Amino acid sequence: MYNAFWNHLKEQLLSTPPDFTCALELLKDVKENRLRNEIEEALDTDLLKQEAEHGALDVPHLSNYILNLMTLLCAPVRDEAIQKLEAITDPVQLLRGIFRVLGLMKMDMVNYTIQSFRPYLQEHSIQYEQAKFQELLDKQPSLLDYTTKWLTKAATDITTPCPSSPESPSSSRSVACSLPNGAGNNSEPPSPTMVLYQGYLNLLLWDPENEEFPETLLMDRTRLQEMAFQLHQLTVLASVLLVARSFSGEILFSSSEFVDRLKCITKALTEEFISRPEETMLSVSEQVSQEIHQGLKDMGLTTLSSENTASLLGQLQNITKKENCIRSIVDQRILFLKCCLLHGMQESLLHFPGGLILIERELAELGWKFLNLMHHNQQVFGPYYAEILKNIIHPAQAQETDVEHN
């Protein structure tokens, strides 16, 4: 990485016109080194020790010098903190405050350095991963067999006409039919990008027992499985909240404290939903019912009648059934992630599905993770995907280059 930085600097200076971005950063480092020498002269510990021994140490002057220096070096966000230090007269409190702010300034510098080098590190990482994968592919030509099957399945999901009868919410066909430009609703072949994105979404519905996982994503399999679990948990959470809101009304759900508490309880109780769905939802329904009863009571509102309580418990426990309204939640959450891939997170949040508004923060956080992971994978393996898709999609469509660069 160290050599990569200097090679990058050389490329910038030899470009037409020359790019002096890195060079200016280095000049800035030179300036800081000069400043370091000045600081060492002003804060010569041996000299300060002698002055202290002879009672000639000017503490206020020294403090002012340090604070002025901190003002010169700190980020603008720390100016207010340093101004407050200038008003402190107690030497112990002043030193304590100085070291606290210096700690913050150190973290500011670390974050700035990471931010500055991130583009170079990412570029180097992509090149390194491509080179290593190509070495493996040269030794093992069949290394892309599972990747080819994965993309072929994604293309089939998009081009096969949607069935008239509903499928299981976990079906990739159901997901494709709920997405724009999918499911064979037009005669035009799908674009390589749409096929690739359908493939990415299918990974979130991947059967854990299926060993034919795409070779190009093996390093990310564990993280994808964690995301799939989170997505499933968010489905249950959204369904619980929607049912609970329909019984408790908007007044109770206007309390962010109540909603957050309900989320926390539901998340904790649904950790084992996949292995024990009925038992899990029995516990969830009882706890949620109690929270709604207490919440209505605390607000001075009419609590649920025995009949409504029984209906609430029943609807919450029915969330385990495939024909439950979870299907619409599944479609909306996958659609949101598809929009993130196609249009980016910011635009997708502007058109966030109304049925999922109660889990917007959680789904957006998951969306960022998924988007970043898939974007990096696309940058690394885009050329391989493009070659595979040429043999899957109509040649005219496969000439698109957005699989590599989108």
Side-chain angles (χ1 to χ4, degrees), residues 104 117 129 224 243 285 307 353 377 392:
L104 296 174
F117 277 87
E129 289 185 53
L224 282 167
V243 172
S285 62
E307 182 180 350
N377 178 268
I392 297 177

Side-chain angles (χ1 to χ4, degrees), residues 247-373:
F247 279 87
S248 57
E250 294 296 334
I251 296 180
L252 187 56
F253 265 72
S254 63
S255 169
S256 58
E257 182 179 350
F258 175 80
V259 174
D260 289 341
R261 176 174 172 78
L262 217 55
K263 285 182 181 181
C264 185
I265 292 172
T266 304
K267 287 178 183 178
L269 293 176
T270 54
E271 288 289 337
E272 299 182 9
F273 179 88
I274 295 178
S275 59
R276 300 187 303 138
E278 286 79 11
E279 294 177 41
T280 297
M281 290 313 300
L282 179 60
S283 300
V284 170
S285 62
E286 292 175 349
Q287 188 63 43
V288 169
S289 176
Q290 292 177 19
E291 292 297 325
I292 291 177
H293 177 82
Q294 189 62 46
L296 292 172
K297 184 177 179 181
D298 292 342
M299 285 191 168
L301 302 173
T302 303
T303 57
L304 297 180
S305 63
S306 56
E307 182 180 350
N308 284 338
T309 299
S311 180
L312 170 63
L313 294 172
Q315 290 194 33
L316 288 173
Q317 292 169 28
N318 281 338
I319 289 176
T320 59
K321 298 181 180 179
K322 292 182 179 180
E323 62 270 18
N324 189 266
C325 61
I326 290 181
R327 174 180 172 77
S328 63
I329 301 297
V330 171
D331 290 344
Q332 287 188 11
R333 65 180 184 162
I334 295 292
L335 178 58
F336 173 73
L337 294 177
K338 179 65 173 288
C339 290
C340 291
L341 289 172
L342 286 173
H343 308 298
M345 179 60 71
Q346 297 300 331
E347 183 175 343
S348 300
L349 287 174
L350 294 176
H351 306 284
F352 195 85
L356 301 178
I357 200 67
L358 292 172
I359 60 165
E360 179 178 4
R361 182 177 69 252
E362 292 83 359
L363 189 55
E365 181 180 349
L366 178 62
W368 275 118
K369 294 179 182 178
F370 182 69
L371 183 63
N372 290 333
L373 186 63

